[in-house]
Amino acid sequence: MLPEPDHHTVVTHWGSYRARFADGRVAGLVPIEEDPDPSPLANAMIDALDNPSRILRPAVRKSFLEKGHAAGGKDRGAEPFVEVSWDEALKLAAAELDRVRTQHGNGAIYGGSYGWGSAGRFHHAQSQIHRFLNCIGGYVRSVQNYSYAAADTIVPHVIGDKRGLVSQHTSWNVVAKHSELIVMFGGLPRKNAQVSSGGISRHILQESLARAQRNGAELVSISPIRDDTVSDPQPYWLAIRPNTDVAMMLGIAYTLMAEGLHDRTFLERYTTGFERFLAYLLGETDGVAKDADWAAAIAGIPAAEIRNLARRMAAKRTILMMAWSLQRADHGEQPYWMAITLAAMLGQIGLPGGGFGFGYASVNGVGHATPEISWPSLPQGDNAVSDFIPVARIADMLLEPGGAYDFNGERRTYPDIRLVYWAGGNPFHHHQDLNRLRRAWQRPQTVIVHDSWWNALARHADIVFPVTTALERNDIAASSRDRFIAASHRLADPAGEARDDFSVFSGITEHLGLAHRFTDGRDEESWLRYLFTLARQRAAAAGHALPDFDTFWKSGFCLLPEPDHQPPLLDTFRQDPEANRLGTPSGRIEIFSSTINRFGYDDCPGHPAWLEPFEWLGSAQVQDFPLHLMSNQPVSRLHSQYDSASHSRSMKIKGREVIRLNPQDAKARGISDRDIVRVFNDRGSCLAAAILSDQIRPGVVQLSTGAWYDPTDPAAEMPLEKHGNPNVLTCDKGTSRLAQGPSAQTCLVEIEPYRGELPPVTAFQPPLFEARQHNSQ
Ligand SMILES: Nc1nc2c(c(=O)[nH]1)N[C@H]1C(S)=C(S)[C@@H](COP(=O)(O)OP(=O)(O)OC[C@H]3O[C@@H](n4cnc5c(=O)[nH]c(N)nc54)[C@H](O)[C@@H]3O)O[C@H]1N2
Ligand SMILES: Nc1nc2c(c(=O)[nH]1)N[C@H]1C(S)=C(S)[C@@H](COP(=O)(O)OP(=O)(O)OC[C@H]3O[C@@H](n4cnc5c(=O)[nH]c(N)nc54)[C@H](O)[C@@H]3O)O[C@H]1N2
Ligand SMILES: [Mo]
């Protein structure tokens, strides 16, 4: 038995909280006192527990229940559901999985199942589904993520591994103490640093920025959106055109060269291939000198500003920070490669407060000095299927089975998928060009989904299992980007008949005679005790004593100290580049990569380069679609999670998501503040509520992600989306043949006032249910 907690604690992606109860029910989540800048997102979890969009019982798409996979996928998303018993749903899912693996092999099951799910080491949906699918013979997986796929692929080619992207960033403590100039490509959005996958102890962005400014650091924000960085005094704002940062950085690099401000010694000792890049920079290879005037014309920033910034960068201890958003765009590999190249020219890599780092505010925890403990998670087992896809190529895969594509030097073929199984993510949130995804989604024979709410993913499934939320189960949380381990206590009974993912998978494996293999004979409590034992051993090995499980469980939260030693990124490489060679072929920073050059990709040549995106403010498409859409992360929720709760809904206007645009662009279109507008391009259209704001560069509009997809007619080919989901507008194209990452931030649109009758938002209502027909089995 688990001991009764002294304080009920819950850990979420947006922070750690103590529960407040009233009348025997959880009534509030109070941030832990250690957190200096807590996020308000948590309370949404309480009112979403039992709101009308909650999935209460297992359900099956009507014609799928009647005809099985012979029903075909055409009407997926447009049909009523029939609620069924747990036993029937589990049996049906088991039979479908068994049919597909027997007839087509496990390579016909896609379990990429990308998404954030909830915090917690045991009830971690991704670990659960992967363990389950491995148990039944394997599945086609996905590699990379939507957050930083292009970076994930390019950065190791340049510096040998993912340091400065996923780990070993120069800590905020060191930045605050030593950096004199902080140049922020994509700003440092406080809204984004609300969250971190796996949980948070302290939100550190605001206090870190304040400390840096108190120490005299100058802040420069290069972003189409001014209020991306909240600080006092405000940063100097350079309102760049979206997707043109490489051109601007080339203009800076050219200035450094022209004025002899680059660090020759550093380039010679620590890098390879600078001459090849230099020939391009100076225009020897293509006849175009990439000077500040050239850059200014592309990036929309005055040449004098570019030159001035180059000089300040060279004169001061400068760190280049770059948001993940910059690489979620066509040719997203290039800004990352170019940022490292520029940092190398400045010669401060490996020095305290100098160099580069990616994602400092993309999530909380980047730059948090943390102990090195590899926290345990649910073991996933081995996958007997070796096939995979780059995660954002899902629609391509479903639309073109057998189709060939390039990926990081390989020529690969898409598998022929018959069954898609999803738990802990929402492709109808995260994928680009949802009209295309809907076409692709008709192709598989069977779609099985676990979720807690009737969002668009659940509506587009054949078999839907209702699962518990983090408040309805016990778990342990810890994160490699933080320095805590905590209990996450069950605070409420499951809504309706919801069960946790573990129980669903246990139930299906039972029908397949594999239950013991999946559960290992453990229930929730024994898994938690087992995982904590591992955590305690690993913490001890790193010099940290954790209490015994029962003491831990009662008190709820352990905060570990920051390590004393906080070396700057790549400091040992700087000290001795021979003894500490990088993992690149040359052992050095590769400004020119022979490996990539050998791939022969026109969309990712051998050195960083300005490559025009498929659409941008300088392209011909502006004649029809003159505005660049930034679909950045939402302030009021995590992706699509908790959009149906009051916090997110309170920020909508007439039920629609807000699109921000510059007053100048609004005036030219006869749009006033709070007007409902139609946003459109060739790929789709949606409604949104206009807010006029001088925080947005003219020519740019901002519609954050996460409004639940809500088509006016779910059976139509290209329905008007009536709620404000930007992914009906974005383009589903890989960043390049190298990384094949998502390119959501490359998107042009037009906007007009919406004069028609306003259709009601229906995304938060459950779908239609029908009673079972007598002739079905
Ligand atoms: N246009 C555009 N699109 C983008 C982006 C962008 O910048 N612009 N950003 C991209 C990025 S970086 C990301 S990471 C993705 C995010 O995309 P996702 O991570 O897919 O989005 P979420 O809304 O977090 O989806 C999580 C789903 O899991 C469910 N869930 C939560 N807990 C559990 C659980 O315990 N079990 C189960 N079975 N389900 C659970 C939630 O209800 C929700 O439906 O979006 C991407 N999409
Ligand atoms: N509240 C909240 N926080 C979140 C999330 C959430 O859903 N809600 N999602 C989390 C996830 S999964 C991730 S991956 C991170 C993502 O973190 P990021 O990718 O860093 O975040 P975004 O909000 O997409 O973009 C940040 C800012 O970059 C700027 N930007 C966009 N394109 C360009 C460009 O071409 N050039 C320049 N210079 N600037 C540009 C925009 O002004 C934008 O507001 O956020 C995380 N944080
Ligand atoms: Mo992400």
Side-chain angles (χ1 to χ4, degrees), residues 721-734:
E721 200 282 337
K722 56 194 174 167
H723 188 193
N725 185 319
N727 274 329
V728 300
L729 303 160
T730 51
C731 182
D732 182 12
K733 177 181 175 301

Side-chain angles (χ1 to χ4, degrees), residues 114 116 146-147 328 639:
Y114 178 76
W116 270 53
Y146 279 71
S147 308
R328 213 173 298 117
H639 316 129

Side-chain angles (χ1 to χ4, degrees), residues 110 112-117 126 142 145-147 328 389-395 422-434 437 441 455-457 631 633 638-641 705-709 725-728 730-732 741-745:
Y110 182 65
S113 190
Y114 178 76
W116 270 53
Q126 296 309 318
S142 61
N145 52 44
Y146 279 71
S147 308
R328 213 173 298 117
I389 58 162
V391 67
R393 301 277 51 82
I394 177 168
W422 220 287
N426 180 0
F428 287 84
H429 162 76
H430 63 234
H431 198 59
Q432 284 58 67
D433 196 347
L434 291 180
L437 179 69
W441 204 256
N455 57 20
L457 171 67
S631 51
Q633 314 295 322
L638 175 67
H639 316 129
S640 69
Q641 296 194 46
T705 61
W708 284 11
Y709 173 72
N725 185 319
N727 274 329
V728 300
T730 51
C731 182
D732 182 12
S743 50
Q745 302 298 3

Side-chain angles (χ1 to χ4, degrees), residues 41 114 116 146-148 184-187 189-195 222-226 228 240-245 323-329 359 361-363 429 630-640 702 705 745:
L41 294 183
Y114 178 76
W116 270 53
Y146 279 71
S147 308
Y148 49 75
M184 312 170 294
F185 290 89
R190 183 187 192 194
K191 67 175 176 61
N192 290 9
Q194 284 181 97
V195 313
I222 300 170
S223 175
I225 301 177
R226 179 180 212 147
D228 267 344
I240 194 167
R241 278 174 160 175
N243 296 188
T244 65
D245 301 76
W324 293 343
S325 54
L326 273 84
Q327 50 81 66
R328 213 173 298 117
S362 295
V363 291
H429 162 76
M630 301 269 82
S631 51
N632 61 355
Q633 314 295 322
V635 65
S636 60
R637 58 186 171 253
L638 175 67
H639 316 129
S640 69
Q702 178 216 336
T705 61
Q745 302 298 3

Side-chain angles (χ1 to χ4, degrees), residues 103-115:
Q103 288 178 6
H104 307 285
N106 282 73
I109 299 174
Y110 182 65
S113 190
Y114 178 76

Side-chain angles (χ1 to χ4, degrees), residues 203 232 313 349 607 633:
H203 288 82
D232 185 22
M313 282 178 171
I349 293 172
H607 58 73
Q633 314 295 322

Side-chain angles (χ1 to χ4, degrees), residues 619-681:
S619 65
Q621 291 95 318
V622 289
Q623 291 197 340
D624 296 323
F625 307 113
L627 301 167
H628 195 121
L629 173 70
M630 301 269 82
S631 51
N632 61 355
Q633 314 295 322
V635 65
S636 60
R637 58 186 171 253
L638 175 67
H639 316 129
S640 69
Q641 296 194 46
Y642 299 100
D643 190 37
S644 65
S646 51
H647 183 61
S648 176
R649 289 169 79 168
S650 70
M651 297 198 191
K652 304 191 190 229
I653 295 172
K654 296 180 195 147
R656 318 297 137 154
E657 198 62 27
V658 162
I659 188 165
R660 293 202 297 169
L661 72 167
N662 190 278
Q664 215 173 293
D665 292 317
K667 194 166 171 223
R669 291 166 177 77
I671 295 169
S672 310
D673 212 35
R674 302 176 70 86
D675 276 357
I676 298 297
V677 293
R678 189 174 81 98
V679 192
F680 61 98
N681 61 20

